[in-house]
């Protein structure tokens, strides 16, 4: 696979209670004429906007459009995921600076020597907003619900490494779609298989998102019974999770919003509109849902309420970046995130200290068909990987709106393993493979979708391969559905793929990219 770029997120924000300076009202830069007739550019003010300190510790946040649900199981992206993180708490949380796991509802945890069995020890003082204690049974029930939702949940593939889940998903694929509720689906999915439906490898169908190789593996086809579900409450404060594959980063995985428990009074996702009466267990509770905003208040029952300094968080919905920036400039909101700014706006905001740009955990890359010659030769694949300049691509064609991906995962990794352009080495590799100066190398058939940006990237990559390796590229543009069919049939040399890596768990991130059968 040839990694191309990571997407980036931009935000502009001010810390609460910090006084900001006013920018010059005109965006057209003027010049100052000195006594020596030298022209100097004026230095911009340090901040884009100013605001008076709020009367109480309140954070007003524009995080995109209005949320559609507070349900952790179906929250796929902001603003839903950010609200879920505020009002629900899982076994662990991630440190925002280091991405290391840290205790949340679970005070401590331990693992088996092979990292397949994880035991979490829950706090005695973790409570729901209605005063009930948060127990291991709450997690078992909530994760049962996730498995029952199957492909309706936000990231069902994150469950695939839990014992019993692939079998549940496979059984769901055989159940005709109907009007049954999530609870009925749960009972059906976790019920023991009838005698006529054996648990042999040949009887278990391929779950959506699973390859045939996965479903044929005995380790990936556990029995379809509730007893075999790999999440169990040992007692009220002890939760045990059994995995199919070893995962040293599992505590990072369960910090994902979808693994957060829901109260047994939770509304089913089909009816799950933002409800101010929802029972939660996080540092904040829902105070109200108003037109265009959601108001959260510090929870009185949260076990760590002393460490929560904010009294209130107000999520203010904005339909576009322009209106959000206007509200930020006049001081009615304190932060703007989760909106797409044009390259021109990004350049205008770049000098200001309250503007931040961070990498989004997503990856665009070209997948190589290793079943076809000459791409079944590792030397050819490496030549293609190092035969073009990612920095030139991201800074030129994409105007600095993305970052070059020099490795598969955006965290960790040694500088020695990074992919960098090396034109000379790439030409040597092609020559060793029997194609000196690209002679007799077949035109590369590259499949991309109809997205204009992806087509620009493909054309730029093809130009660099021609310049550096003297090979031609045929760019084939197809609809997404056609690309998936061509990929399934192997009718491609390279195909553009993109993935969002929703977790800092390296094992699950590699499964997202490569598929579990290749690990």
């Amino acid at each position: 696979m040839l990694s191309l770029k990571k997407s980036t997120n931009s935000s502009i924000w001010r810390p609460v209670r910090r006084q900001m300076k006013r920018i010059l009202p005109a965006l057209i830069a003027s010049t100052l004429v000195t006594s020596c007739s030298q022209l100097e550019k004026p230095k911009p003010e340090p901040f884009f906007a100013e605001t008076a300190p709020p009367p109480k510790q309140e954070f007003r946040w524009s995080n995109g459009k209005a949320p559609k649900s507070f349900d952790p199981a179906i929250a796929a992206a902001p603003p839903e995921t950010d609200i879920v993180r505020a009002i629900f708490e899982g076994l662990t949380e991630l440190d925002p600076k280091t991405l290391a796991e840290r205790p949340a509802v679970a005070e401590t945890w331990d693992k088996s020597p092979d990292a397949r069995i994880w035991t979490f020890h829950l706090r005695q003082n973790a409570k729901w907003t209605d005063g009930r204690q948060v127990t291991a049974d709450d997690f078992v029930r909530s994760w049962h619900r996730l498995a029952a939702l199957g492909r309706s949940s936000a990231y069902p593939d994150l469950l695939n490494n839990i014992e019993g889940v692939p079998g549940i998903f496979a059984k769901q694929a055989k159940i005709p779609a109907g009007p049954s509720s999530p609870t009925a689906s749960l009972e059906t999915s976790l019920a023991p298989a009838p005698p006529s439906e054996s648990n042999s490898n040949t009887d278990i169908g391929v779950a959506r998102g699973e390859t045939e190789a996965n479903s044929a593996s005995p380790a990936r086809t556990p029995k379809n019974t509730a007893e075999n579900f790999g999440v169990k409450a040992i007692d009220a404060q002890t939760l045990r999770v059994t995995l199919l594959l070893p995962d040293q980063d599992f505590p990072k995985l369960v910090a994902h919003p979808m693994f957060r428990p829901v109260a047994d009074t939770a509304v089913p996702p089909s009816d799950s509109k933002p409800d101010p009466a929802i029972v939660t267990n996080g540092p904040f509770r829902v105070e109200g849902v108003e037109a265009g905003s959601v108001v959260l208040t510090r929870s009185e029952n949260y076990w760590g309420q002393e460490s929560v300094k904010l009294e209130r968080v107000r999520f203010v919905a904005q339909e576009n970046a322009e209106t959000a920036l206007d509200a930020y400039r006049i001081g009615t909101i304190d932060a703007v995130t989760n909106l797409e700014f044009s390259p021109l706006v990004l350049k205008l905001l770049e000098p200001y200290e309250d503007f931040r740009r961070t990498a989004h955990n997503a990856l665009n890359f070209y997948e190589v068909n290793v079943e076809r010659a000459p791409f079944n030769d590792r030397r050819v694949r490496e030549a293609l990987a190092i035969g073009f300049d990612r920095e030139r691509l991201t800074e030129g064609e994409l105007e600095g709106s993305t970052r070059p991906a020099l490795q598969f995962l955006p965290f960790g990794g040694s500088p020695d393993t990074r992919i960098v352009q090396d034109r000379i080495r790439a030409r040597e590799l092609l020559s060793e493979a029997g194609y000196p100066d690209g002679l007799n190398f077949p035109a590369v058939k590259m499949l991309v979708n109809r997205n204009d940006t992806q087509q620009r990237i493909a054309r730029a990559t093809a130009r660099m391969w021609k310049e550096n390796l003297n090979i031609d590229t045929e760019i084939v543009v197809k609809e997404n559905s056609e690309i998936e069919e061509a990929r399934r049939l192997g009718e491609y040399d390279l195909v553009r793929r993109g993935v969002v890596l929703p977790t800092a768990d390296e094992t699950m991130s590699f499964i997202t990219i490569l598929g579990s059968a290749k690990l």
Side-chain angles (χ1 to χ4, degrees):
M1 297 183 184
L2 312 178
S3 56
L4 284 176
K5 68 184 183 70
K6 297 187 183 78
S7 301
T8 58
N9 279 343
S10 302
S11 61
I12 185 164
W13 67 287
R14 64 173 67 80
V16 176
R17 299 180 64 86
R18 181 174 181 179
Q19 186 73 17
M20 300 298 171
K21 295 183 179 179
R22 186 180 301 277
I23 66 166
L24 295 175
L27 290 178
I28 300 175
S30 60
T31 57
L32 300 178
V33 181
T34 66
S35 58
C36 297
S37 300
Q38 293 178 338
L39 300 179
E40 295 182 359
K41 292 183 179 180
K43 294 182 180 181
E45 293 294 319
F47 301 109
F48 181 73
E50 70 171 22
T51 186
K56 60 189 303 184
Q57 285 285 2
E58 179 179 12
F59 185 56
R60 300 162 300 176
W61 185 2
S62 173
N63 195 23
K65 298 181 180 181
K68 297 179 179 179
S69 172
F70 294 156
D71 190 336
I74 60 176
E80 286 83 5
T81 49
D82 288 319
I83 294 179
V84 164
R85 287 187 176 97
I87 63 178
F88 290 98
E89 184 174 66
L91 295 169
T92 61
E93 293 282 2
L94 293 184
D95 185 286
K97 293 183 178 180
T98 66
L99 294 183
E101 64 273 17
R102 63 188 188 189
V105 174
E107 283 188 290
T108 61
W109 51 86
D110 48 72
K111 62 181 178 180
S112 62
D114 63 356
R116 284 188 58 247
I117 301 176
W118 289 83
T119 305
F120 296 88
H121 307 281
L122 278 54
R123 299 178 186 275
Q124 295 278 353
N125 58 343
K127 294 182 179 181
W128 296 99
T129 49
D130 62 5
R132 291 179 298 120
Q133 186 179 37
V134 178
T135 68
D137 283 324
D138 290 320
F139 284 91
V140 174
R141 174 179 39 76
S142 299
W143 292 11
H144 275 178
R145 176 173 176 260
L146 273 178
L149 288 172
R151 310 312 296 184
S152 298
S153 65
Y155 295 98
D157 291 339
L158 296 186
L159 298 170
N160 273 339
N161 198 29
I162 296 176
E163 186 178 83
V165 170
I168 293 170
F169 285 175
K171 187 174 182 181
Q172 287 173 346
K174 297 182 179 182
I175 299 174
S180 59
S181 68
T183 302
S185 175
L186 172 64
E187 293 170 352
T188 305
S189 300
L190 297 179
S196 60
E197 185 178 338
S198 71
N199 290 313
S200 66
N201 297 337
T202 57
D203 276 351
I204 295 182
V206 180
R208 181 175 163 188
E210 290 279 306
T211 64
E212 292 187 8
N214 290 346
S215 63
S217 168
R220 302 291 294 177
T221 55
K223 295 180 180 180
N224 267 334
T225 64
E227 291 74 17
N228 199 60
F229 187 67
V231 185
K232 300 184 184 302
I234 305 304
D235 56 45
Q237 275 15 89
T238 309
L239 181 74
R240 181 164 296 165
V241 184
T242 303
L243 307 180
L244 298 174
L245 297 174
D247 186 355
Q248 299 289 347
D249 288 333
F250 188 67
K252 292 183 179 180
L253 176 65
V254 296
H256 189 277
M258 71 178 287
F259 290 98
R260 301 184 184 214
V262 293
D264 52 17
T265 56
V267 179
S270 57
D271 302 320
S272 184
K273 296 179 181 179
D275 179 9
I278 188 171
V279 177
T280 60
N281 73 320
F284 292 89
R285 61 175 177 83
V286 180
E287 179 181 292
V289 179
E290 306 168 0
S293 69
V294 175
V295 180
L296 309 182
T297 301
R298 184 168 53 196
S299 174
E300 303 85 354
N301 288 333
Y302 181 57
W303 63 266
Q305 61 172 301
E306 295 82 5
S307 64
V308 181
K309 304 304 180 184
L310 286 174
E311 298 175 41
R312 175 180 293 176
V313 177
R314 184 183 297 273
F315 287 87
V316 182
Q318 298 288 352
E319 290 297 317
N320 54 63
E322 289 75 16
T323 57
L325 279 179
D326 287 343
Y328 178 79
R329 190 179 338 188
I330 64 176
T332 58
I333 56 177
D334 302 306
V336 177
T337 60
N338 192 33
L339 288 171
E340 185 174 350
F341 298 110
S342 68
L344 176 59
V345 173
L346 292 177
K347 289 180 181 179
L348 291 173
L349 294 174
E350 193 71 45
Y352 298 105
E353 294 180 19
D354 49 347
F355 174 73
R356 313 287 167 82
R357 179 185 290 185
T358 56
H360 181 60
N361 199 10
L363 185 70
N364 283 309
F365 59 93
Y366 292 135
E367 179 179 318
V368 184
N369 187 350
V370 296
E371 302 298 326
R372 282 189 176 184
F375 306 99
N376 55 355
D377 189 325
R378 186 187 186 281
R379 295 168 297 185
V380 170
R381 299 196 299 272
E382 185 177 350
L384 293 175
I386 65 176
F388 73 102
D389 190 343
R390 289 162 181 77
E391 288 87 348
R392 174 180 161 189
L393 181 65
T394 56
E395 293 301 322
E397 288 292 331
L398 301 175
E399 302 179 13
S401 60
T402 63
R403 288 172 50 185
L406 305 181
Q407 54 194 24
F408 280 119
L409 302 182
F411 34 78
S414 167
D416 297 334
T417 63
R418 292 185 177 180
I419 305 171
V420 294
Q421 183 191 25
D422 189 337
R423 177 175 175 271
I424 296 175
R425 177 58 182 159
R427 294 175 71 91
E428 289 175 352
L429 288 166
L430 269 191
S431 181
E432 292 172 9
Y435 304 98
D437 196 31
L439 185 64
N440 297 324
F441 195 91
V444 179
K445 184 178 181 181
M446 179 191 293
L447 269 60
V448 299
N449 60 17
R450 296 191 180 279
N451 180 278
D452 290 339
T453 299
Q454 296 306 325
Q455 292 183 53
R456 287 171 54 199
I457 293 172
R459 289 192 294 267
T461 303
R463 286 196 300 269
M464 285 189 274
W465 278 337
K466 184 63 176 178
E467 295 170 4
N468 297 336
L469 306 178
N470 194 32
I471 63 176
D472 296 314
T473 304
E474 176 192 0
I475 299 173
V476 181
V477 180
K478 290 181 176 289
E479 299 289 347
N480 288 332
S481 59
E482 296 174 319
I483 288 179
E484 285 304 311
E485 180 66 8
R487 182 170 174 247
R488 185 182 69 84
L489 297 174
E491 297 175 349
Y492 67 95
D493 295 330
L494 301 181
V495 59
R496 181 261 170 187
R497 285 185 56 204
V499 297
V500 175
L501 304 175
T503 171
D505 182 329
E506 292 193 5
T507 298
M508 295 309 299
S509 293
F510 273 118
I511 287 176
T512 301
I513 297 170
L514 303 173
S516 58
K518 297 180 181 179
L519 292 186

